Amino acid sequence: MKNVTDELQKILQDLTDEGKKPTTALVRSRLTTQVPMPAIITAVKSFKSTSSIPKIEVKDTPLTADERIAQLELQVKELSQRLAALENK
């Protein structure tokens, strides 16, 4: 699980400092992590009433097949280099 509370708090505070009324659309447009809409709505409502938000965590997004393959290829390369170094000793 990834904690996005700090990111949401910063976005909401930045919007307030800019003189803008925090809305779910503005918050969502500034997020770097995908957060479900109900969590954004809860954060905005809580911020408007208490200037703070509850802890919000989202599931880590799974890697795409291409990203997984790239990671595996890198691991194989590194392990092959280590094996070759051990064999040469």
Side-chain angles (χ1 to χ4, degrees):
M1 296 294 273
K2 180 178 180 182
N3 187 346
V4 294
T5 306
D6 293 336
E7 182 180 5
L8 283 167
Q9 183 74 36
K10 183 178 180 337
I11 291 170
L12 290 163
Q13 190 60 52
D14 288 348
L15 288 169
T16 302
D17 293 345
E18 294 170 12
K20 297 179 180 175
K21 181 180 175 184
T23 63
T24 54
L26 284 174
V27 171
R28 188 169 194 170
S29 70
R30 294 185 183 203
L31 283 168
T32 59
T33 306
Q34 286 189 343
V35 178
M37 189 57 78
I40 297 172
I41 292 168
T42 300
V44 171
K45 284 182 180 180
S46 179
F47 185 81
K48 285 180 180 179
S49 64
T50 64
S51 295
S52 65
I53 61 173
K55 182 177 180 180
I56 297 175
E57 292 182 332
V58 295
K59 288 184 179 178
D60 290 331
T61 55
L63 298 175
T64 65
D66 290 337
E67 292 169 333
R68 290 178 58 216
I69 290 169
Q71 282 184 349
L72 290 171
E73 287 174 342
L74 181 61
Q75 287 176 342
V76 168
K77 180 181 175 184
E78 290 172 354
L79 290 172
S80 296
Q81 290 171 346
R82 290 176 65 187
L83 180 60
L86 288 172
E87 288 176 343
N88 291 331
K89 285 188 175 182

